[in-house]
């Protein structure tokens, strides 16, 4: 219920990169979480980058975008680590 409320809350901005696919996956495993009224206050960084820099081409993915804009990609080493194991390791928290 808390996640559903957060997704609906217009005062909480949600930021993602190609988030539609993430929401689709979430709705498959947690159908009651995705509000039928939709999600409010969402910024898609892929669309924002395209609008802000219309003549630029970026490598695919958020890591490619951050490398093109900031000169550094994202370290996704911890992405597939064991997130159910507690306590989280410092590297997981940093990720």
């Amino acid at each position: 219920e808390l996640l559903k409320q957060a997704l609906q809350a217009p005062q909480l901005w949600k930021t993602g990169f190609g988030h539609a696919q993430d929401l689709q996956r979430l709705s498959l495993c947690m159908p009651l979480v995705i509000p039928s009224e939709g999600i409010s206050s969402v910024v898609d960084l892929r669309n924002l980058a395209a609008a802000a820099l219309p003549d630029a081409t970026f490598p695919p993915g958020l890591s490619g975008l951050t490398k093109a804009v900031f000169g550094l990609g994202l370290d996704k080493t911890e992405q597939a680590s064991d997130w159910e194991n507690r306590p989280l390791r410092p590297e997981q928290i940093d990720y």
Side-chain angles (χ1 to χ4, degrees):
E1 186 62 27
L2 182 61
L3 179 56
K4 184 176 181 177
Q5 290 174 1
L7 292 173
Q8 287 179 310
Q11 71 274 21
L12 296 176
W13 283 90
K14 282 64 78 179
T15 307
F17 187 87
H19 66 278
Q21 185 178 16
D22 295 333
L23 293 174
Q24 184 179 20
R25 287 182 187 157
L26 184 61
S27 70
L28 291 174
C29 66
M30 301 176 74
L32 299 177
V33 170
I34 301 298
S36 58
E37 302 83 16
I39 297 172
S40 62
S41 305
V42 178
V43 175
D44 189 327
L45 296 176
R46 180 183 354 203
N47 297 339
L48 183 63
L53 304 165
D55 298 327
T57 56
F58 302 106
L62 180 59
S63 185
L65 175 63
T66 58
K67 184 167 181 128
V69 173
F70 299 112
L72 293 170
L74 300 175
D75 180 1
K76 295 195 169 198
T77 305
E78 295 299 326
Q79 186 175 26
S81 61
D82 185 359
W83 290 92
E84 291 184 15
N85 189 29
R86 295 293 194 255
L88 294 178
R89 294 181 290 106
E91 296 84 1
Q92 290 172 304
I93 294 169
D94 287 345
Y95 176 78

